Amino acid sequence: MPSLAGWAVLAGFALFAIAAHTVVSSRQLAQLTQQEYSGVPLLAAAELTAAAIVLCYASLRLSGEFKPISSVNPARGTSTHNFRPDFMRFNHRGKALPSVLPGDHPIMKTGGI
């Protein structure tokens, strides 16, 4: 038997299908009555919003426990054996920039830094 999150996924996709049907039927009605199609009806927008909320809830529930991101792997530890200087790169384009940019530099005028 599916869990609550599984049922929420099914309900979310069903709401998306109902909203799509609402939009298509309203457009066909506008064509039959020879009126200009003014856009998505409010009911369809509400159904789309509800479907998105339900699917967000389901995806968070189905994903399980969140695990923290650790910058240091405790199993490996930190030691000098892990140090690999061949991956360090000091010859990059950042050294072409002056250490202090003058006030009239174009980057400073646009607020780039």
Side-chain angles (χ1 to χ4, degrees):
M1 181 169 169
S3 65
L4 177 64
W7 288 111
V9 169
L10 291 175
F13 282 121
L15 278 172
F16 271 127
I18 291 169
H21 181 268
T22 303
V23 170
V24 169
S25 64
S26 68
R27 184 171 177 121
Q28 287 176 348
L29 180 65
Q31 287 177 349
L32 287 175
T33 58
Q34 296 179 349
Q35 294 177 351
E36 183 179 329
Y37 183 69
S38 61
V40 178
L42 185 61
L43 175 65
E47 289 170 348
L48 285 172
T49 304
I53 290 170
V54 168
L55 283 174
C56 284
Y57 166 77
S59 65
L60 288 176
R61 297 301 293 171
L62 283 176
S63 65
E65 267 313 298
F66 287 114
K67 295 180 181 176
I69 299 173
S70 176
S71 62
V72 178
N73 189 354
R76 233 173 69 182
T78 55
S79 68
T80 57
H81 301 293
N82 298 339
F83 180 67
R84 298 179 70 179
D86 53 331
F87 284 109
M88 298 172 82
R89 184 173 176 176
F90 296 106
N91 187 16
H92 55 82
R93 63 183 174 194
K95 70 179 183 178
L97 292 173
S99 61
V100 177
L101 292 174
D104 61 341
H105 195 274
I107 292 178
M108 297 304 287
K109 289 180 181 176
T110 60
I113 292 181

